[in-house]
Amino acid sequence: MSRDALIVGINSYKYLSTLKAPAVDAEAIAQRLEQDGDFQKVTRLPEAIAPAEVNKSVVSETSSVSQRQLEQALKQLFLPDSPLAPETALFYFSGHGLADREGYEKGYLATSDTNPRHPRGSAISLGWLHWLLSKSSVRQQIIWLDCCHSGSLIVNVGAANPGNSASRDRCFIASSRDFESSWEDLNSQYSVLTKALLEGLDPTRLPGRWVDTFALVDYVNQALKGELQTPVCTNFGEAIHLTRTWQVADQTSQTASADQGICPYKGLEFFDCNEEDPKYFFGREQLIGQLLDHARTHSFMALVGASGNGKSSVLRAGLLHQLKLGRRIAGSDRWRIRITRPDSHPMQNLALAFVEEGLSDLDRAEALGRATGLLNEGGAGLQRLVQASSAPRTILVIDQFEEVFTRCADLEEREQFFACLMGALSGADDKLCLIIAMRADFVGKCLERRYSGLAQFIPPHTISVLPMEPDDLKAAICKPAKQVGLTVEPALVTQILNDITGAPGSLPLLQYTLKALWQQRQGNQLVFTAYQALGGINGTLDKRATEIYNGFEATEQHTVQHIFQQLTQLGEGTEDTRRRVFQADLVAAPQHPEEQVQQVISRLSSPENRLLVTSEVMSKADQSARMAIVDVAHEALIRHWQLLRRWLEQNRDRLRQQRKIEASTVAWREQGRQPGYLLQGLPLIEAMHFDKQQRETFPLSDSAKAFIKKSIQQRRWNYLKLASWLVIPAMIGLGIVEHNLRENSVKADYARLDQEGGYGEKQAVEALVEGCASQQLRKWLPSYFAERLFGNCRSLERTPLANADLRSADLRSAILFSANLRAADLRAADLRRAYLRNADLRAADLRSAIIFNVDLRTTQNLTQPQLKGNNPPLICNSPLPEGIDIARNRDCDRLAPVLLARYPGTFQSFDQAQEYVTQQRQKAWE
């Protein structure tokens, strides 16, 4: 491997002041590279012969260098006449630097003949140097500039990585920012930057290994903190070897021969952005370079890949880790990184991302309140959060972005989330960089609508995380082992590559298998025989998960199945994904009591098993209120555990029904248990039916059962309100308006009903009567409602029922001829065989109502949207007005289970309810 260097130190200037340090600086750098850097050719400008040594060249302290000389030397270094370009080329310059007031050339390197009044044409422009590097075929390029204003080459992000080629490795170090001067150190013979370079290049700092460009940038940044000049340093691509102590070259192999007892593999967990994980993250170097280049030059990035391709790992242990180091993008170590996942409440989690760690509960609550208030303002609020930061740039990372579709059921919050992100992005300039990482099969979801501009941003800014190539996979297998003193049997590497090549999404399985192989290592080696015993890549996870499952007792196995089914988000045209669930929502007594659920989760999440992961969340309102969250370790478990796959396929329909009820429970709880979020009408009937039929095999959580019970109680209260409202027109007809219902008495009787339970609707009305003021009404009302309100109504014709609350009312066979039902709430009302001729249904709410054998042809003001909105009515054998296009019998098949659930005393079985529906359909009018 050929390594060439051009070292320039100019003291003598015709139009600029003479300098003292550059020649000494340059000679010291040249000697360091020759002695410890394995550079075969080191060219010095200006050059002189050392007086004490024959044919020994040094940097001249008195000679001049013309603009033409330096330009030719640079071309010879980076664009050599010979077709054999060096593998590595290093250019060091110490001397005067000039700013470019017009900004076209990005600054100048002054040669001895440079005229500062007319630098163009008499100096080396940084713009020309940028062009030269972009055209060069040299794979490893190193530029060190110790002169004023030299940071111009790097500050301009377009010029920072000329050509933006992922195949090149580059290191840029400039002594000062574009507006700063550079200084000589009065306490040293060297300039400030060169002194730091020489110290950083000293190979005795890192005995036994190379000092590379990454380590040098780290040292320079640390050494020059607080100086009058701020160095600008950045790296692109991989680290480039610079210097090492040759006498201790074998020390690496000596220290690596002993097993350190550290597992370098992550199993089903991702590699995170912390102190340890990046040490063992290999195989994605080229992709990381691509991500860094994009983050440097753009404010938005969509990291997209199949599940199991390592998106989170390359994002965290790759991109974010490099940004924190600040080696490969100048100043990125000063950027602020915020990471969040959408989960079920993306806006709340976004606010939490802007709350600093380590605060007291009180301070944390205050900070969260301020962040939430700003985010409620939308994009402008998020923009203010970003601009308020002292950091020069904020990197906002949304990992698992697909959760916005799979976990967030609130469409309004989803839209608010998108509007907030995209609104801030459009107004924050370069101060904000938004990075989203999501599964490839959800890209289409992002493009279905504009989503405040998200759909336009994604296509041009998408970077794909593709399956790893064989060489990269080999690095991911072998290099982490070498880091901890282990070796991998060659036959094992070959077999793993054969098994995993062409299998997308297999990286979690690879890591899980490697971790299992580490646990069964022989001496300091991972061996092929252990791999065979484990069952290979595809068999390891499946076999291990089944072994863990078989280790539970029979009742506990039932709970294991229950937990994993609840932790799976069923795909809608996409693959099944994982879902995080409150641990309390997994309790479903008596089949899955709290203690048993807790014990099973503890075993499944133990370090030796790691099939589940647990965490905690805090309430926004009460920081002391914490709830445990449970999640599967990785979606690979959902895809590759065959036993779980069978459970899901066998029970998918019932799981969807169960999940719908559980989701409504969560929504009700999160909205402060408000009555408006309780079930009513058809959804309540279906939930009651599911709970009754699936109680043993698919029990609802205790929370869901309490939710259904509260919904039933609310339905009874609605009946009471309905009854009290209908009493008034009856009293008007009897001339007894003075007898009003006492609301407090009614509520007291309803509370008694709640405690005693077991009451039906007729008993509820009788309880209402007990709250009436008149003894005469007590005697009369029970028979009135028994005969007319709950079946066989005959006297509601022409009744003024506008705006009436008739939710869940039993109006079977009711005579509602010419009744005024304008804007009446008829949700879930039973209107079987009701007579609605000339009834005014303008704006009436008919959601989930039962409309069976009802002639709607002459009803007034009935519109198609009333029959086709959310939760439309059950329409069966009911002729419709002209112009309304809805299939007449579309809901007949759904009617039997609804009737069975609502009237268990009338229908003893499903077959009996179905027979009733069939008989009634035979009587339908032509």
Side-chain angles (χ1 to χ4, degrees):
M1 181 181 71
S2 61
R3 291 157 65 86
D4 296 350
L6 173 62
I7 309 300
V8 181
I10 304 177
N11 286 358
S12 300
Y13 286 91
K14 184 177 180 180
Y15 302 103
L16 296 165
S17 61
T18 300
L19 301 174
K20 295 181 179 180
V24 177
D25 290 344
E27 182 58 31
I29 292 292
Q31 291 183 21
R32 176 68 75 190
L33 296 178
E34 287 176 329
Q35 294 170 7
D36 302 312
D38 195 23
F39 279 81
Q40 289 81 26
K41 182 181 178 182
V42 177
T43 301
R44 293 166 168 85
L45 281 181
E47 185 179 26
I49 301 300
E53 299 182 47
V54 179
N55 296 327
K56 173 68 176 177
S57 65
V58 295
V59 178
S60 173
E61 296 184 12
T62 57
S63 300
S64 300
V65 178
S66 69
Q67 186 265 351
R68 181 174 177 77
Q69 278 181 294
L70 183 52
E71 182 178 296
Q72 290 300 320
L74 284 168
K75 286 182 178 179
Q76 185 60 33
L77 178 65
F78 291 108
L79 293 175
D81 296 333
S82 169
L84 299 177
E87 178 75 10
T88 304
L90 186 153
F91 170 50
Y92 168 86
F93 178 89
S94 180
H96 277 300
L98 302 176
D100 180 15
R101 292 184 175 86
E102 296 180 358
Y104 297 118
E105 303 294 345
K106 305 179 179 68
Y108 299 90
L109 305 180
T111 55
S112 297
D113 57 347
T114 295
N115 185 339
R117 294 185 177 181
H118 307 286
R120 188 177 300 174
S122 65
I124 300 296
S125 82
L126 295 180
W128 178 83
L129 181 58
H130 161 261
W131 170 85
L132 181 70
L133 297 175
S134 68
K135 297 299 181 182
S136 174
S137 61
V138 176
R139 193 177 70 84
Q140 296 183 332
Q141 302 172 359
I142 304 169
I143 310 293
W144 298 338
L145 306 178
D146 193 350
C147 59
C148 299
H149 315 296
S150 51
S152 298
L153 180 66
I154 305 172
V155 169
N156 185 298
V157 293
N161 190 19
N164 294 320
S165 173
S167 63
R168 294 175 182 149
D169 304 322
R170 291 188 170 110
C171 173
F172 292 89
I173 299 178
S175 60
S176 61
R177 290 177 286 186
D178 56 336
F179 56 86
E180 289 181 334
S181 299
S182 297
W183 302 90
E184 297 181 359
D185 190 343
L186 296 180
N187 297 317
S188 170
Q189 59 182 323
Y190 306 117
S191 299
V192 172
L193 174 65
T194 298
K195 179 183 178 184
L197 287 174
L198 290 169
E199 293 171 350
L201 288 169
D202 185 352
T204 60
R205 289 194 313 111
L206 304 172
R209 71 182 185 88
W210 284 95
V211 174
D212 59 29
T213 49
F214 287 1
L216 180 62
V217 165
D218 283 347
Y219 185 86
V220 170
N221 281 328
Q222 188 64 33
L224 297 187
K225 273 187 176 179
E227 289 287 347
L228 294 175
Q229 61 193 69
T230 302
V232 183
C233 312
T234 192
N235 287 296
F236 301 87
E238 292 305 298
I240 305 172
H241 291 167
L242 295 173
T243 60
R244 67 171 175 174
T245 303
W246 303 93
Q247 291 78 5
V248 291
D250 295 333
Q251 186 172 339
T252 303
S253 59
Q254 295 173 2
T255 57
S257 61
D259 180 1
Q260 301 173 22
I262 299 173
C263 180
Y265 305 110
K266 294 295 292 181
L268 293 179
E269 301 176 19
F270 54 73
F271 287 85
D272 210 345
C273 182
N274 52 35
E275 294 296 325
E276 290 299 315
D277 288 6
K279 297 177 184 177
Y280 312 113
F281 184 64
F282 294 94
R284 287 296 195 183
E285 290 76 17
Q286 184 172 343
L287 177 59
I288 293 170
Q290 185 182 0
L291 297 178
L292 286 165
D293 285 348
H294 198 92
R296 181 186 293 106
T297 57
H298 297 86
S299 60
F300 179 82
M301 182 195 310
L303 192 62
V304 173
S307 179
N309 269 8
K311 296 183 299 298
S312 292
S313 293
V314 77
L315 172 65
R316 294 168 183 259
L319 173 62
L320 299 185
H321 173 66
Q322 290 299 331
L323 293 179
K324 284 186 175 182
L325 291 178
R327 294 168 172 171
R328 300 174 69 170
I329 297 181
S332 66
D333 54 325
R334 300 191 301 273
W335 295 358
R336 186 69 54 81
I337 297 174
R338 306 284 188 181
I339 308 177
T340 185
R341 283 176 54 180
D343 207 355
S344 56
H345 290 292
M347 290 300 295
Q348 177 181 332
N349 289 339
L350 182 60
L352 285 169
F354 284 88
V355 177
E356 302 295 341
E357 296 294 332
L359 299 177
S360 67
D361 286 352
L362 186 60
D363 290 340
R364 186 175 175 82
E366 184 178 351
L368 180 59
R370 290 196 299 268
T372 302
L374 284 170
L375 292 180
N376 286 337
E377 299 176 14
L382 178 55
Q383 184 179 331
R384 287 170 60 192
L385 272 175
V386 170
Q387 292 176 336
S389 173
S390 59
R393 201 178 193 203
T394 295
I395 305 294
L396 177 57
V397 178
I398 316 292
D399 200 5
Q400 310 285 333
F401 191 75
E402 65 271 8
E403 288 183 347
V404 122
F405 301 102
T406 62
R407 299 283 292 125
C408 178
D410 189 336
L411 298 180
E412 184 177 344
E413 183 173 1
R414 184 185 302 171
E415 290 281 2
Q416 183 186 3
F417 182 63
F418 291 141
C420 186
L421 294 178
M422 306 316 295
L425 195 62
S426 63
D429 299 323
D430 194 45
K431 182 89 172 177
L432 172 65
C433 177
L434 173 63
I435 301 174
I436 64 174
M438 66 176 164
R439 281 176 29 179
D441 51 340
F442 281 88
V443 172
K445 289 281 188 182
C446 296
L447 304 180
E448 288 178 350
R449 303 171 63 181
R450 287 196 69 256
Y451 288 130
S452 302
L454 176 67
Q456 283 70 43
F457 267 86
I458 286 181
H461 297 288
T462 293
I463 297 180
S464 299
V465 182
L466 302 174
M468 295 173 72
E469 297 296 328
D471 287 346
D472 296 328
L473 288 170
K474 185 175 181 179
I477 296 168
C478 299
K479 288 186 177 181
K482 185 178 180 181
Q483 289 285 89
V484 295
L486 297 175
T487 60
V488 185
E489 198 173 30
L492 172 59
V493 177
T494 301
Q495 188 60 54
I496 290 178
L497 292 180
N498 289 337
D499 291 346
I500 202 172
T501 301
S506 296
L507 291 183
L509 293 180
L510 172 64
Q511 285 291 319
Y512 192 86
T513 302
L514 290 170
K515 186 173 184 178
L517 287 169
W518 178 85
Q519 293 168 339
Q520 299 184 26
R521 64 195 183 280
Q522 295 181 11
N524 65 340
Q525 189 175 50
L526 308 186
V527 297
F528 179 60
T529 54
Y531 180 74
Q532 288 178 309
L534 287 170
I537 288 288
N538 293 324
T540 302
L541 179 59
D542 179 53
K543 183 177 179 181
R544 178 58 181 155
T546 303
E547 286 176 355
I548 295 171
Y549 171 77
N550 291 334
F552 287 96
E553 297 179 358
T555 55
E556 293 175 326
Q557 287 181 348
H558 189 41
T559 297
V560 172
Q561 177 180 350
H562 165 71
I563 290 172
F564 276 104
Q565 288 180 153
Q566 294 306 308
L567 295 178
T568 302
Q569 182 72 35
L570 303 176
E572 299 288 349
T574 58
E575 282 187 313
D576 295 339
T577 59
R578 62 185 183 185
R579 65 189 289 257
R580 297 202 296 173
V581 176
F582 287 114
Q583 183 171 310
D585 288 339
L586 296 173
V587 176
Q591 291 84 357
H592 310 297
E594 182 176 3
E595 183 178 357
Q596 182 165 299
V597 168
Q598 175 63 53
Q599 291 174 352
V600 168
I601 290 174
S602 296
R603 285 178 60 182
L604 292 173
S605 60
S606 63
E608 61 271 18
N609 294 329
R610 296 298 291 173
L611 297 184
L612 298 181
V613 292
T614 59
S615 58
E616 276 190 337
V617 293
M618 288 189 304
S619 168
K620 289 172 62 178
D622 182 4
Q623 299 297 299
S624 63
R626 299 173 180 266
M627 294 189 70
I629 293 284
V630 186
D631 195 0
V632 295
H634 198 279
E635 286 178 0
L637 192 63
I638 297 174
R639 294 199 313 273
H640 296 284
W641 187 14
Q642 296 305 313
L643 186 57
L644 176 56
R645 296 307 313 160
R646 287 200 298 272
W647 293 338
L648 293 173
E649 293 309 318
Q650 292 169 359
N651 304 316
R652 189 168 293 269
D653 290 340
R654 285 178 288 183
L655 283 170
R656 290 190 193 280
Q657 291 178 272
Q658 184 188 52
R659 194 67 46 78
K660 185 177 179 181
I661 299 169
E662 297 286 355
S664 298
T665 303
V666 172
W668 171 66
R669 183 174 61 214
E670 291 177 345
Q671 295 298 327
R673 292 176 166 78
Q674 296 182 27
Y677 287 86
L678 291 169
L679 293 177
Q680 52 187 315
L682 183 60
L684 175 57
I685 293 171
E686 292 176 338
M688 293 166 59
H689 179 67
F690 182 88
D691 183 37
K692 180 178 180 181
Q693 296 296 319
Q694 306 296 336
R695 190 164 296 169
E696 297 299 323
T697 53
F698 287 89
L700 296 171
S701 67
D702 289 357
S703 300
K705 292 174 185 174
F707 173 60
I708 292 175
K709 180 179 179 182
K710 192 67 179 176
S711 298
I712 294 172
Q713 293 171 351
Q714 182 65 31
R715 186 179 71 171
R716 290 175 180 164
W717 174 240
N718 290 339
Y719 277 130
L720 294 177
K721 290 194 296 183
L722 167 65
S724 62
W725 195 93
L726 287 177
V727 162
I728 295 174
M731 290 190 294
I732 292 174
L734 294 171
I736 50 174
V737 181
E738 69 276 8
H739 297 292
N740 295 319
L741 299 175
R742 292 191 314 222
E743 185 176 358
N744 290 338
S745 298
V746 174
K747 290 184 176 179
D749 278 324
Y750 178 65
R752 176 172 57 80
L753 280 176
D754 269 354
Q755 294 175 357
E756 297 175 2
Y759 281 83
E761 287 80 359
K762 291 184 179 180
Q763 289 85 349
V765 174
E766 291 171 1
L768 171 70
V769 174
E770 294 299 320
C772 295
S774 168
Q775 182 67 30
Q776 177 184 358
L777 285 176
R778 286 197 191 97
K779 294 178 179 177
W780 177 79
L781 285 173
S783 60
Y784 174 86
F785 284 105
E787 294 176 3
R788 304 181 186 219
L789 183 59
F790 297 100
N792 301 316
C793 299
R794 291 288 180 262
S795 58
L796 292 178
E797 58 187 65
R798 305 183 189 279
T799 305
L801 296 172
N803 299 303
D805 185 351
L806 300 172
R807 283 176 289 177
S808 303
D810 188 343
L811 297 171
R812 288 173 287 175
S813 302
I815 302 299
L816 292 164
F817 172 72
S818 295
N820 182 4
L821 291 164
R822 185 181 303 178
D825 191 344
L826 287 162
R827 281 176 287 176
D830 190 344
L831 291 163
R832 280 180 287 162
R833 303 181 305 279
Y835 187 64
L836 290 169
R837 185 176 181 81
N838 293 332
D840 186 352
L841 290 171
R842 184 181 311 171
D845 192 341
L846 295 169
R847 285 177 290 176
S848 300
I850 300 175
I851 301 177
F852 183 26
N853 286 356
V854 179
D855 189 349
L856 298 171
R857 287 176 292 189
T858 60
T859 52
Q860 300 179 41
N861 303 311
L862 185 65
T863 64
Q864 187 157 320
Q866 289 175 276
L867 306 179
K868 293 190 69 173
N870 294 329
N871 297 320
L874 277 163
I875 301 176
C876 180
N877 288 355
S878 299
L880 299 168
E882 186 176 351
I884 295 182
D885 181 20
I886 296 176
R888 182 182 301 179
N889 297 320
R890 67 174 187 189
D891 289 323
C892 292
D893 294 338
R894 296 179 61 200
L895 189 56
V898 172
L899 296 177
L900 180 63
R902 177 176 279 199
Y903 305 105
T906 303
F907 305 105
Q908 303 303 319
S909 67
F910 176 83
D911 291 341
Q912 189 177 4
Q914 187 65 51
E915 182 181 358
Y916 165 79
V917 173
T918 302
Q919 292 174 350
Q920 294 299 314
R921 289 180 66 181
Q922 292 173 351
K923 299 178 181 179
W925 36 64
E926 297 299 325

